[in-house]
Amino acid sequence: MNTENRDRVIKREQKEEKNPLGIKVIGLCVIVLILVMVISAVVSGLSGISVTDISSEKAEGALIYDSLPDSIRNIEAFSSGTVLLTDTSVDYIDSSGRKIASNSHMYSQPVMKVGKSTVLLYDKGGTAFRIEKNSSIYNNYTVSSTITTATVGAKGNYAYVLNEDAGYQSHLYVYSYQGKKQFEWGSASDYCLTTALSDNGKSIAVSMISVENGEYVSKVSLFNFKDEEAVYTSSFTDSTVYHIEFINRKRLAVYTDNGVFVVDKQGNSSAVFECMPSELTHSSFCPGGLNAVAVAKHGNSKDSAINVFDRKHETLFTLDFDSEIFDVKAAKNFVAVMLGDSISIFDKKSGNTGNIKVGEKCIDAVFSGRTLFVQTVSGIYSFDVDSDTDLTVKKEVSDEPKTSYDVTDSTISAEKTTAEDAVSVTEAASEDNTTVISASAFG
């Protein structure tokens, strides 16, 4: 009995001795994990690249994705690669061009909205939309009236507006990603143009157009989900609001065809940048990052400029160009200016980090970390943000003939040949009275 009890005591003591060591190991692992997360955040904030991408190969202008038989309507950043909207599908590709997933659709006018790992695809003017999460179809939905606009938030919640539904001209619904209704609102007279969900997933901004006292007016209203009435409504006379960006919970950046405005928490608006509708050409937005607007001064496309704003929509810099700007793309730390068949990349301090000569028309582009994916008529190319790449030179080198000679009237034309090859081919041409001969040079 005593021996058994002593054995039990020894085993219990041994078991108790293991617990402190296990706790120390777990604690050490937690500390290491926290350090990795902190380092990742710092590196990402300073360089625009995640720690997991540090060891990845530099993108140097490779054609990573050939053009599809159907047209590519839109490309957006997704994870470390891109997501493509085509006439028939939503395709996900990684940074090397490998197709991760392809989800077909039958929408006549598909529109894609991307929020982190969530993609909302809706049929504009139709009654169907769907949610995709992590490149897989999460759920399909059918609504009672036609969809005019929709959006997805950082928290995975989504909103859509129906036209002429339940007695409203515009009927707004907001749902969590699990499908629980968070908010509903309707306007009997105003037509909704666009919406934006806040980063905390608790409020929404809505832009509408209406006519007041014979004047064309755009209105922007901010709603908290817990309240039925708007926190505020701000009006923009003779303007069309085409984009809204949350600066914080109650401050908004409003993009109109007359310029960019910031609306404070009381609903008062102030101009950050002003232009004429005839001058505005392109714009691009990155939530929490840079935002850019391109204009043709006085309507002259040969006298262009881009205006770049930070996440608070304070002006960072303006760049002038003596050529037409075909598009502009903004990211967290970079801006790309598309100039026909070439692209110039700038950082948030206006430094020119890269220049790309594609040699064919650039149709669209998107940043994913430090990689710029560029869509052309040939397909999608990938470039690093600090690369100076001239694809026209590469194409000329690859197109140079390597093994051809033309011999006419006993004359040999060759780029590379030895004296011995030239003599033998000339003799063959003379003896056989051959007018054209092709030979291989081994140099």
Side-chain angles (χ1 to χ4, degrees):
M1 292 291 291
N2 293 334
T3 302
E4 291 179 358
N5 290 336
R6 187 164 54 251
D7 291 340
R8 290 175 184 172
V9 171
I10 292 172
K11 290 180 180 179
R12 188 180 296 113
E13 289 176 351
Q14 290 175 345
K15 185 176 181 181
E16 290 174 354
E17 287 176 357
K18 293 180 181 179
N19 288 337
L21 179 61
I23 294 173
K24 290 179 180 179
V25 172
I26 294 173
L28 182 61
C29 291
V30 172
I31 293 173
V32 171
L33 180 59
I34 292 173
L35 288 175
V36 170
M37 293 173 66
V38 171
I39 293 172
S40 177
V42 172
V43 172
S44 178
L46 293 177
S47 65
I49 183 173
S50 65
V51 170
T52 56
D53 292 334
I54 289 178
S55 61
S56 60
E57 294 183 1
K58 185 176 180 179
E60 297 181 340
L63 178 63
I64 65 168
Y65 203 72
D66 291 336
S67 294
L68 301 174
D70 46 10
S71 63
I72 299 175
R73 288 175 171 257
N74 188 22
I75 63 174
E76 296 289 347
F78 189 86
S79 186
S80 61
T82 63
V83 55
L84 317 177
L85 172 61
T86 77
D87 287 337
T88 59
S89 66
V90 176
D91 295 338
Y92 297 84
I93 64 174
D94 62 17
S95 58
S96 63
R98 182 176 63 91
K99 185 182 290 186
I100 301 172
S102 181
N103 304 325
S104 61
H105 71 79
M106 298 182 66
Y107 296 167
S108 58
Q109 295 188 61
V111 179
M112 178 177 67
K113 300 292 183 178
V114 181
K116 293 187 176 180
S117 62
T118 303
V119 171
L120 185 150
L121 181 70
Y122 71 95
D123 192 6
K124 188 176 180 64
T127 58
F129 73 95
R130 76 185 187 205
I131 301 294
E132 300 186 9
K133 294 185 70 66
N134 299 316
S135 74
S136 298
I137 297 176
Y138 178 75
N139 211 341
N140 289 281
Y141 304 88
T142 302
V143 292
S144 57
S145 300
T146 57
I147 304 171
T148 57
T149 188
T151 191
V152 61
K155 293 294 185 181
N157 58 341
Y158 58 91
Y160 60 87
V161 179
L162 303 182
N163 185 41
E164 297 182 353
D165 180 69
Y168 297 108
Q169 175 67 45
S170 296
H171 198 177
L172 168 70
Y173 294 91
V174 183
Y175 287 87
S176 67
Y177 74 90
Q178 300 99 332
K180 181 181 179 181
K181 186 165 69 174
Q182 294 180 309
F183 184 70
E184 179 181 357
W185 176 83
S187 174
S189 58
D190 299 330
Y191 184 84
C192 181
L193 290 179
T194 187
T195 63
L197 287 162
S198 62
D199 288 344
N200 64 4
K202 297 181 180 180
S203 56
I204 188 170
V206 182
S207 73
M208 300 155 286
I209 56 173
S210 62
V211 177
E212 295 181 358
N213 299 322
E215 288 186 315
Y216 171 67
V217 178
S218 288
K219 297 185 293 185
V220 174
S221 296
L222 174 66
F223 295 94
N224 287 329
F225 295 160
K226 62 181 180 180
D227 301 322
E228 294 183 1
E229 299 296 325
V231 177
Y232 60 71
T233 296
S234 185
S235 297
F236 302 86
T237 305
D238 292 332
S239 298
T240 300
V241 176
Y242 64 90
H243 182 77
I244 307 172
E245 197 81 27
F246 271 90
I247 298 175
N248 55 34
R249 290 185 301 169
K250 291 186 177 181
R251 295 180 68 230
L252 302 173
V254 178
Y255 288 75
T256 79
D257 56 354
N258 281 316
V260 181
F261 300 82
V262 170
V263 182
D264 63 21
K265 59 183 180 180
Q266 283 80 34
N268 302 314
S269 64
S270 57
V272 176
F273 164 76
E274 294 182 282
C275 65
M276 298 293 292
S278 59
E279 295 178 312
L280 180 65
T281 56
H282 307 283
S283 54
S284 181
F285 326 98
C286 178
L290 303 183
N291 304 274
V293 172
V295 294
K297 299 178 183 178
H298 310 293
N300 180 8
S301 62
K302 301 300 182 182
D303 186 11
S304 305
I306 63 163
N307 301 269
V308 180
F309 316 99
D310 63 14
R311 64 182 183 86
K312 295 181 180 180
H313 283 79
E314 296 176 353
T315 301
L316 289 178
F317 59 87
T318 299
L319 295 174
D320 296 319
F321 296 85
D322 58 2
S323 60
E324 181 179 357
I325 297 176
F326 285 79
D327 208 344
V328 60
K329 298 296 176 180
K332 186 175 182 179
N333 294 307
F334 302 97
V335 171
V337 183
M338 302 168 65
L339 305 167
D341 64 349
S342 64
I343 299 174
S344 293
I345 302 174
F346 301 88
D347 61 21
K348 57 186 177 182
K349 295 182 179 179
S350 75
N352 184 200
T353 65
N355 295 283
I356 301 166
K357 180 73 173 179
V358 182
E360 54 185 274
K361 184 179 179 181
C362 301
I363 300 172
D364 203 353
V366 63
F367 283 100
S368 185
R370 291 180 62 87
T371 302
L372 179 67
F373 295 94
V374 180
Q375 178 194 353
T376 72
V377 293
S378 298
I380 296 176
Y381 294 84
S382 63
F383 303 90
D384 195 81
V385 295
D386 60 359
S387 65
D388 285 327
T389 307
D390 190 344
L391 292 187
T392 60
V393 174
K394 293 183 178 181
K395 291 176 182 177
E396 289 175 0
V397 172
S398 63
D399 291 342
E400 286 182 358
K402 297 180 180 179
T403 59
S404 63
Y405 297 95
D406 291 331
V407 182
T408 305
D409 296 332
S410 301
T411 302
I412 299 174
S413 174
E415 291 185 358
K416 292 182 180 180
T417 186
T418 62
E420 184 179 349
D421 291 331
V423 171
S424 61
V425 175
T426 305
E427 290 175 351
S430 176
E431 291 176 0
D432 298 337
N433 295 320
T434 305
T435 55
V436 178
I437 298 176
S438 294
S440 296
F442 297 94

